[in-house]
Amino acid sequence: MVIEVQGISKSFGEVKAVDSLSLSIPRGVVYGILGPNGAGKTTTLRMILGILKPDEGKVSIMGRPVDVSVLSRIGYLPEERGLYPKEKVLDVLVYLGELKGLPKGEAKAKALKYLEEFGLSSRAFSAIEELSKGMQQKLQFISVLLHGPDILILDEPFSGLDPINSEILRERIMDERAKGKTVLFSTHILEQAEKMCDYVALISKGKKVVDGKLSEIKAKYGKRTIKIEFEGDGEAIKQIPHSSLRLYERFAELETELEVNDVLRLIIDKVKVQKVERTEPSLNQIYISLVGGEGENLDNN
Ligand code: ATP
């Protein structure tokens, strides 16, 4: 495991922001910490980075307690963004690169390369405050990548980005994974997480609800849903063994353990099938089914 979190807790006065949380994050994966606003995601990331000291529990990164040399292998995008507003884009990137130990020439070359890649070359000599929020966020992401860290820790990296820039960022994150980097990020947008995570931890009120490989969580907790568009007598659909069924004039949605082929075999002589598909349960559905009444529709947050 590249990051091992063992039973960390943190209270702020009466509020237990994180409650005995343990996480195991393998090397080379994209790992999402997911939960609604206030679930404790930021507090968890800050404890992993040693910015906040846990009340109990411990964190190790690359097999060691978090110290300066471990931190030099990490790129961190904090939730509160902010780069020196009056300074020029390129100057700030070079400065931040040097702070992370890059020689000036290399910092400049890398900064220019990333500015190009993110479509910001023409802004290299603008003051940061003249950039839009989304551009500033891209800039901050560049500052995370500059020194070539092995681990990226990104707190709500997609907040404030439009769909096109979200997609650019998503692709860049996946590129980092392809290079063998480990990416840990937080989000309340489960749809986004679904597209990119190998592993997830769902948290609610500071506690872990479930964690592990996304595919295994889906297989374990997801109900198996089949949707059928048809013409003919819906009675045939009712005969398919199911645990739940929503049946309309020409459409049915049912939870069943049967494979699509078996379902077709049962109905093919009785109705005209226009379309049939097995749909994966969404992470949102899984979260709500696990958290129960406390669940919110996270995607609408
Ligand atoms: P969001 O998605 O809104 O950023 P989050 O999951 O990152 O939420 P945290 O920021 O970790 O959640 O907050 C968890 C809880 O801890 C909240 O109830 C919050 O009010 C509280 N909290 C966090 N930081 C502090 C602080 N410095 N002082 C007091 N309470 C805090």
Side-chain angles (χ1 to χ4, degrees):
M1 294 296 149
V2 69
I3 301 177
E4 195 75 65
V5 173
Q6 287 169 293
I8 56 170
S9 298
K10 185 79 190 174
S11 294
F12 298 103
E14 296 292 292
V15 178
K16 193 144 200 181
V18 176
D19 192 354
S20 310
L21 185 71
S22 296
L23 304 169
S24 295
I25 300 163
R27 190 179 300 274
V29 303
V30 174
Y31 193 110
I33 296 191
L34 317 176
N37 296 129
K41 304 179 295 293
T42 297
T43 306
T44 299
L45 295 183
R46 288 185 179 150
M47 284 194 280
I48 290 175
L49 287 152
I51 298 167
L52 280 175
K53 192 170 155 24
D55 297 335
E56 52 188 17
K58 61 178 188 176
V59 174
S60 69
I61 301 187
M62 301 193 272
R64 302 164 45 180
V66 185
D67 59 16
V68 178
S69 79
V70 168
L71 288 175
S72 72
R73 303 311 316 139
I74 298 176
Y76 171 48
L77 181 74
E79 188 178 40
E80 68 290 347
R81 324 277 191 228
L83 296 162
Y84 314 91
K86 303 284 177 202
E87 303 297 327
K88 297 206 168 59
V89 166
L90 184 59
D91 292 347
V92 168
L93 288 179
V94 171
Y95 170 71
L96 293 173
E98 284 184 289
L99 275 188
K100 290 281 189 178
L102 291 180
K104 190 166 189 164
E106 191 180 338
K108 188 171 176 185
K110 288 212 160 123
L112 288 169
K113 175 178 95 76
Y114 282 124
L115 287 172
E116 167 89 44
E117 199 175 306
F118 282 85
L120 289 172
S121 291
S122 63
R123 302 298 185 128
F125 302 102
S126 305
I128 299 225
E129 64 187 358
E130 292 164 20
L131 269 56
S132 76
K133 266 196 182 153
M135 289 174 189
Q136 291 191 31
Q137 195 164 333
K138 286 202 277 184
L139 207 56
Q140 198 144 358
F141 185 65
I142 293 175
S143 77
V144 171
L145 295 178
L146 267 183
H147 67 296
D150 296 315
I151 302 171
L152 305 184
I153 298 185
L154 313 172
D155 199 351
E156 295 274 0
F158 297 99
S159 74
L161 288 183
D162 62 37
I164 293 174
N165 282 308
S166 293
E167 190 55 25
I168 293 173
L169 182 62
R170 189 178 76 81
E171 282 171 9
R172 278 307 281 116
I173 290 175
M174 299 320 275
D175 286 350
E176 289 298 307
R177 187 191 65 165
K179 289 184 207 154
K181 308 293 172 82
T182 306
V183 183
L184 172 63
F185 79 105
S186 73
T187 185
H188 64 272
I189 308 169
L190 301 192
E191 256 175 21
Q192 188 64 260
E194 195 139 19
K195 285 191 218 155
M196 40 193 303
C197 291
D198 305 297
Y199 285 75
V200 295
L202 300 179
I203 62 174
S204 167
K205 298 184 177 168
K207 289 198 171 113
K208 186 167 73 184
V209 180
V210 66
D211 65 343
K213 254 192 180 154
L214 180 56
S215 54
E216 287 172 9
I217 290 173
K218 286 205 162 187
K220 182 162 178 201
Y221 295 99
K223 302 234 168 62
R224 291 164 63 79
T225 301
I226 287 185
K227 291 180 181 171
I228 307 168
E229 277 176 40
F230 65 96
E231 280 174 25
D233 186 359
E235 277 305 310
I237 307 285
K238 287 189 194 162
Q239 305 308 317
I240 304 168
H242 59 260
S243 54
S244 82
L245 169 67
R246 288 195 299 138
L247 181 61
Y248 304 95
E249 195 59 27
R250 288 159 171 262
F251 176 76
E253 186 173 0
L254 61 156
E255 278 163 18
T256 175
E257 288 304 312
L258 294 188
E259 295 302 330
V260 170
N261 273 0
D262 300 323
V263 168
L264 279 175
R265 245 175 242 122
L266 288 172
I267 60 175
I268 202 74
D269 296 331
K270 299 170 190 143
V271 295
K272 184 172 175 193
V273 177
Q274 306 282 19
K275 187 173 168 188
V276 57
E277 66 173 344
R278 173 169 301 289
T279 57
E280 272 210 313
S282 69
L283 256 184
N284 208 43
Q285 283 171 318
I286 294 174
Y287 188 91
I288 289 168
S289 73
L290 288 174
V291 177
E294 298 164 25
E296 316 166 36
N297 191 336
L298 301 183
D299 289 348
N300 289 340
N301 267 356

